[in-house]
Amino acid sequence: MHRSRPAVGLSLAMIVVVGAMSGWGTGRAMADPGPGRTLYVEGYSTVCSDSGTGTESRPFCTVQAAADVVEPGDTVRILGDYSLSPHPEAVTLTRSGTSDKPITFSGAPLPSSRLRTVLATPASAPALTLKGVHDVRVESLAFTDEHHSDVVAVTGSDHVTLDRLTVDNAAPTVPVTGTAIGVDGTSSDVTVSRNTINPSTAYGVRVAPGAARVTVTTNVILTQQQAGIAVSGTADADVTSNTVFAPCATAISLDGGSSGVVENNVAFNVTNGSMQTSSCQAPTAPFYAVSADSASRVTADYNVAAHEVSSSAPARTEYSWAGTSYATSAAFRDGTGQGTHDIDGINAYPATPAEHSPLIDSADATAPGELSTDSQGRARVDDLLVDNTGTGTTAHPDRGALERQDTLAIASGDVPTPPKGLAPLGISMKTDATSSWGAALAYSVDFGDGSDPATGTPGTPVSHTYTTPGLYTTRITFTEPDGTSAEKSYAGVAAGTATPPAAALSVAPDTATGQVAAGLAQFTVPAPADPWEVEYRTLSFGDGTQDNLPTDAQEPTQPTHQYAAPGTYTATLTQTDLLGRTTTAKTVFHAADAFVAVTPQYDTEKTIAAHGVLTLSAATLRADSNGADAVQLQLVTSNAKASGALTLYTHGTTRPGTAAIAFEPGRTATAETTVKVTPTGSVDLYNGSSGAVTVDVATVGLQSHAQYADTYHPVTPARLLDTRTGTGGTRAPVAGGHSVTLAVGGTHGVPADAHAVVLDVTATTTKASGDLTVATHSTNDSVVSGPYWTTGQTATTQVVIPVYDGKVVLHNDSKASANLVVDLAGWYGTATGGSEFLPVTPARILNTRTGTGTGKVARLAAHGTLKLKVTGAHGVPATGVTAADLNLTVPAPSGNGYLVAYPDGTSRPGVYSLNFTKGHTAAGRALVKVGTDGEIDLYNAGTTSVDVYADLLGDYDVFPATS
């Protein structure tokens, strides 16, 4: 016979497959030639391309792109995602296969990661048109038809199969004209099989005059307005084993001189009103209609006219044959000689027939177009409870598109026993199952370990031994002689290893761009050697919280945890295997703080009455940010009415006997200090003097456990600037009102990119009273106060100042000159090699007047050295401490001098830590590096013995800390 040649022109329209469309291609898609390829279409893939080759890793975006390049023997696999809305595409196929190498367009079988493919019908054209093609198969695709127009059109084509398609949309409420599957009059040898056509169009399947050899078989068609299946002027049409809802119009009709067979069909009338709409009134059209010019060429038998039972059901003609209506199958048989085996007068919903239904085993197995499977792919089987009233000796199909299946029930006790134990593990399994038809059954048990399945007769237990440790799925299958089978799987038969899987756990602080969130723990839990054996994994963080971890991880699991406060926490991984055995692993995490530099703002100036308390909120101190545990402040006192000291402590706690700054009438004093705080709390400043004093407070830094910030790098004190000797590049006193710029980055171990430095700043040989400010070089946003002095006084203050270009500026605010000295105590910057901060409740750890810290009451002698242990007490760890945050006080000295604070075990540096003058109490912060033995040394460079106090504010520990 003649076959039309493939058309040369291309038809372009918009496409849609379920999934998010991406990468629309341009131009004609090019694919390498060659038979037997699989071309992939996945419109919602992020890597799809219509100009590619259609591989699985680089699929086409549109079906049309594949249709334009498909060759004989090729399969086009259309992948989708039903959870996403489809988009319209009008696809036209003009390329053909051959009889031995057909072209296939398929939405199945689908990989497990995909859902069914859906093409949407646009308003302008069918979703799919087969134009002038031959030897083409389209299968397992779904279509939506919101426009109620033509969906699939076969034009001028032959040897085409449309199988297992689904057309779906809501029933129209107005008259429509579309056809779900249409075959035009120039097409032949077309099979329309096992499709499901839901309410959407006027016609389910429509064959136009001139077509030949069209088979419409085993379809389920619901609620079409004009006809379920309409064949006109077609030679050799076989309409077989279809199930058709016919609430509106004729279920099956042949006219226009058509010839063929109508057998084994079920037409069903709905009269409960649920299917009637304004466009679908209660029907009067016959179920089956064959026109006068076709009646002599058509054979009809084994069909069913089924009615829904309803007392208000209107009379409906079941047959119209050659222009004559017949109300019943008996009348039809008597009047025409057709329908010898037809059935009516039954209430049968057009689904799988109920047990003992007359539809069961009563079809003609030899009918043209009869398939060996029903519309759902289930075998046509012999119901042993029903007499075989149809034809055929081996196959006994039911009428319609759906086949009644035997019900095989597997006993609930048919489970592997015991389900778990140590390998080698011997199990026993029952094999009890029943057939609702009483069929003889045989079983097969696949134990899932690669061994041969066990077979036998139900009722006989079967045993098996798992010799290799593993987690197995046991599958039991019961089969009856006609091939009907039922299967049940039991996942999780565990043959355990001799020892439970080992547990391991490690932790590190979370770092980013050289900074650290010192309270954010990054745990690492390696995957167990036998992950199948692990049933539960719980990570307890040591703070009362825990997480459940995945048990099937093939790679290390890395959970993170933000601790709510600094401290030492023991985290525990508890791992339980399938046999109930538990293993644990522990690790210690030191949640601490990192330094956040703050641009100082002197926005709190208050007068505190004698023995009064000034309460400052965290918000006022700018310490209400995420995870702030401590705040570094600069205090400047003035207008003191009497000598005394300020004590700084956390609001709501017991006031400690410590001093943050000492003051006296007629002098301005400055000092930096550290205090614990909470983001929602406050701190108190207590005036221990008998007179009022004014205090100005500025925040110079925060210590936070939840922000990415800097670690501290303490150094052995080193002199950076001395204008008396020329150290630092300047050899002359700095005139009043003038400045000196000092390079601190790139020298004495301070990197050029350090973020802040800790400096002891001293003014000496002063010619008049005054003060010193320290500022960043590249901007004047960060300015802190240095020491205040009277004429002739040497004064020292420790300051923290940000650096942006490695330099700082010292400005002499006095009216007269002064020599300036700067000593380096440490710097803040990159996490590597640095230290993290742990605040403590303020505590006096040294008092020479009481013997605290030394064990004896004795002043620090002139040119004497005192060793002070700072580790292992007052909340300070015994090991790993790198620096101590202290306030040093020399009360009422009897002479002039200064203290040098430095790490024990090192040479004493020539630096100033705290200057004092005769009769004037001096106090100031000293951030001091600690010796390897946990001690610091305090050297009295004065000419007389003095008392010394040391108040502990916190400590710095090596980062990352270890247990």
Side-chain angles (χ1 to χ4, degrees):
M1 63 179 291
H2 174 74
R3 286 176 177 162
S4 56
R5 300 178 62 82
V8 176
L10 298 177
S11 173
L12 179 62
M14 297 187 65
I15 171 149
V16 55
V17 211
V18 163
M21 189 66 66
S22 136
W24 289 92
T26 58
R28 182 182 176 89
M30 301 299 294
D32 294 334
R37 299 170 304 170
T38 298
L39 304 178
Y40 292 87
V41 178
E42 187 174 6
Y44 295 100
S45 168
T46 58
V47 296
C48 72
S49 172
D50 279 352
S51 60
T53 57
T55 62
E56 188 173 11
S57 61
R58 188 73 168 174
F60 292 128
C61 298
T62 65
V63 180
Q64 188 64 59
D68 289 344
V69 298
V70 67
E71 298 286 346
D74 288 350
T75 296
V76 176
R77 287 286 308 280
I78 308 171
L79 306 178
D81 184 346
Y82 196 66
S83 64
L84 300 174
S85 299
H87 301 272
E89 178 185 4
V91 180
T92 299
L93 176 65
T94 59
R95 300 170 72 86
S96 298
T98 62
S99 59
D100 59 338
K101 295 180 180 179
I103 287 173
T104 301
F105 281 72
S106 177
L110 300 174
S112 60
S113 60
R114 303 293 196 277
L115 298 176
R116 70 183 304 184
T117 303
V118 179
L119 304 179
T121 304
S124 58
L128 176 62
T129 299
L130 306 183
K131 184 178 181 181
V133 302
H134 57 81
D135 297 293
V136 171
R137 180 180 181 86
V138 181
E139 63 181 19
S140 300
L141 292 173
F143 299 84
T144 62
D145 182 31
E146 64 181 48
H147 302 291
H148 309 292
S149 55
D150 294 345
V151 179
V152 178
V154 180
T155 63
S157 300
D158 62 84
H159 291 83
V160 169
T161 297
L162 306 175
D163 185 53
R164 290 173 293 166
L165 308 182
T166 300
V167 178
D168 195 11
N169 209 65
T173 58
V174 297
V176 294
T177 59
T179 297
I181 298 176
V183 180
D184 83 335
T186 62
S187 297
S188 62
D189 298 286
V190 176
T191 298
V192 180
S193 59
R194 297 189 297 180
N195 303 295
T196 299
I197 302 174
N198 292 300
S200 177
T201 52
Y203 295 89
V205 178
R206 192 177 188 185
V207 185
R213 296 177 299 284
V214 176
T215 299
V216 182
T217 179
T218 322
N219 302 283
V220 176
I221 303 174
L222 293 86
T223 321
Q224 306 302 303
Q225 285 186 5
Q226 298 298 320
I229 300 171
V231 179
S232 184
T234 300
D236 297 327
D238 297 326
V239 182
T240 305
S241 291
N242 301 284
T243 295
V244 183
F245 271 105
C248 298
T250 302
I252 298 172
S253 67
L254 284 76
D255 61 20
S258 296
S259 62
V261 173
V262 180
E263 283 201 40
N264 298 342
N265 301 286
V266 175
F268 180 67
N269 181 34
V270 178
T271 57
N272 64 2
S274 63
M275 294 293 180
Q276 274 73 51
T277 67
S278 59
S279 61
C280 176
Q281 305 298 322
T284 58
F287 283 128
Y288 302 95
V290 177
S291 65
D293 56 6
S294 303
S296 62
R297 299 180 175 90
V298 174
T299 299
D301 202 1
Y302 293 91
N303 298 300
V304 179
H307 297 269
E308 180 185 42
V309 174
S310 173
S311 59
S312 60
R316 181 171 185 183
T317 299
E318 294 181 356
Y319 301 89
S320 174
W321 193 269
T324 301
S325 296
Y326 299 94
T328 65
S329 61
F332 173 60
R333 181 172 55 251
D334 293 342
T336 64
Q338 299 274 359
T340 303
H341 304 89
D342 282 10
I343 302 172
D344 63 1
I346 63 172
N347 174 33
Y349 190 81
T352 300
E355 194 63 86
H356 301 291
S357 167
L359 277 61
I360 296 174
D361 292 354
S362 63
D364 179 6
T366 64
E370 180 68 26
L371 302 180
S372 61
T373 60
D374 72 356
S375 67
Q376 297 181 3
R378 302 175 301 186
R380 298 290 192 177
V381 293
D382 182 10
D383 187 338
L384 301 182
L385 304 182
V386 177
D387 292 337
N388 298 322
T389 58
T391 62
T393 57
T394 56
H396 302 281
D398 300 345
R399 304 192 194 198
L402 298 160
E403 184 79 3
R404 176 76 187 182
Q405 302 291 312
D406 190 5
T407 301
L408 301 186
I410 301 176
S412 60
D414 291 3
V415 297
T417 304
K420 55 188 176 182
L422 291 176
L425 173 65
I427 66 164
S428 176
M429 192 169 184
K430 293 182 179 180
T431 58
D432 297 327
T434 57
S435 159
S436 63
W437 293 349
L441 301 178
Y443 72 76
S444 172
V445 181
D446 181 352
F447 296 102
D449 60 354
S451 61
D452 293 335
T455 59
T457 303
T460 302
V462 62
S463 298
H464 182 71
T465 298
Y466 291 100
T467 59
T468 303
L471 185 65
Y472 301 99
T473 296
T474 302
R475 181 178 293 105
I476 184 169
T477 303
F478 289 92
T479 306
E480 57 185 272
D482 65 10
T484 300
S485 64
E487 176 184 289
K488 198 168 185 178
S489 297
Y490 306 93
V493 178
T497 55
T499 59
L505 178 66
S506 60
V507 68
D510 195 16
T511 58
T513 63
Q515 294 186 312
V516 59
L520 181 57
Q522 177 81 58
F523 292 92
T524 298
V525 182
D530 296 301
W532 60 267
E533 198 169 5
V534 178
E535 188 168 21
Y536 305 107
R537 289 203 300 179
T538 301
L539 178 57
S540 300
F541 298 109
D543 60 356
T545 65
Q546 66 180 36
D547 276 354
N548 294 323
L549 304 184
T551 59
D552 57 352
Q554 302 297 317
E555 301 292 336
T557 302
Q558 292 189 306
T560 60
H561 182 68
Q562 178 65 66
Y563 286 93
T568 299
Y569 300 92
T570 299
T572 304
L573 172 69
T574 302
Q575 188 168 273
T576 304
D577 73 1
L578 293 170
L579 302 183
R581 298 174 295 181
T582 297
T583 52
T584 61
K586 296 179 182 293
T587 189
V588 175
F589 182 73
H590 299 271
D593 290 323
F595 179 75
V596 181
V598 175
T599 300
Q601 295 178 4
Y602 293 92
D603 52 3
T604 301
E605 185 175 359
K606 299 288 184 180
T607 297
I608 310 175
H611 304 294
V613 175
L614 172 64
T615 299
L616 300 172
S617 69
T620 299
L621 300 176
R622 293 188 288 167
D624 55 346
S625 60
N626 186 25
D629 297 306
V631 56
Q632 291 191 17
L633 303 177
Q634 184 168 78
L635 307 178
V636 179
T637 61
S638 60
N639 303 319
K641 303 305 180 184
S643 297
L646 294 179
T647 299
L648 182 65
Y649 57 101
T650 305
H651 181 73
T653 63
T654 301
R655 183 173 72 245
T658 59
I661 188 171
F663 55 84
E664 57 188 37
R667 291 195 175 193
T668 300
T670 182
E672 289 193 3
T673 190
T674 303
V675 63
K676 291 176 67 174
V677 68
T678 64
T680 58
S682 305
V683 298
D684 288 345
L685 265 174
Y686 169 70
N687 178 11
S689 170
S690 60
V693 66
T694 299
V695 62
D696 200 352
V697 182
T699 299
V700 298
L702 303 175
Q703 297 285 1
S704 171
H705 66 267
Q707 300 183 54
Y708 288 100
D710 296 323
T711 58
Y712 182 56
H713 300 253
V715 301
T716 299
R719 182 144 292 174
L720 302 180
L721 174 70
D722 191 336
T723 60
R724 298 169 301 180
T725 63
T727 300
T730 300
R731 184 181 183 125
V734 179
H738 286 72
S739 301
V740 61
T741 298
L742 174 65
V744 294
T747 183
H748 291 83
V750 180
D753 60 352
H755 295 158
V757 291
V758 182
L759 305 175
D760 286 313
V761 182
T762 302
T764 189
T765 58
T766 55
K767 303 302 183 182
S769 62
D771 67 280
L772 179 71
T773 59
V774 185
T776 56
H777 177 255
S778 59
T779 173
N780 60 3
D781 289 341
S782 292
V783 180
V784 294
S785 295
Y788 286 78
W789 63 83
T790 59
T791 303
Q793 179 188 3
T794 297
T796 300
T797 294
Q798 188 172 90
V799 299
V800 176
I801 187 72
V803 287
Y804 299 106
D805 61 355
K807 299 176 182 178
V808 297
V809 178
L810 294 88
H811 183 74
N812 179 5
D813 285 328
S814 174
K815 294 181 179 180
S817 66
N819 278 302
L820 303 182
V821 179
V822 177
D823 298 321
L824 175 68
W827 54 275
Y828 291 99
T830 178
T832 303
S835 300
E836 51 193 5
F837 182 69
L838 284 174
V840 299
T841 300
R844 181 150 289 176
I845 63 172
L846 172 65
N847 186 339
T848 57
R849 289 180 174 178
T850 64
T852 299
T854 61
K856 62 181 179 179
V857 177
R859 288 187 171 190
L860 177 58
H863 307 296
T865 300
L866 178 154
K867 296 180 183 294
L868 177 63
K869 184 77 170 181
V870 296
T871 59
H874 305 290
V876 179
T879 60
V881 178
T882 62
D885 192 350
L886 304 174
N887 278 339
L888 298 179
T889 302
V890 175
S894 58
N896 299 332
Y898 61 92
L899 295 180
V900 179
Y902 60 100
D904 185 53
T906 66
S907 298
R908 183 177 73 246
V911 300
Y912 298 113
S913 298
L914 178 69
N915 274 279
F916 51 86
T917 56
K918 181 178 179 180
H920 299 283
T921 297
R925 184 191 190 201
L927 193 52
V928 186
K929 185 176 181 181
V930 175
T932 56
D933 56 1
E935 295 182 348
I936 64 170
D937 291 350
L938 293 173
Y939 171 72
N940 177 10
T943 58
T944 60
S945 62
V946 295
D947 282 311
V948 182
Y949 307 153
D951 298 330
L952 177 68
L953 307 176
D955 62 273
Y956 284 90
D957 300 336
V958 64
F959 171 82
T962 56
S963 56

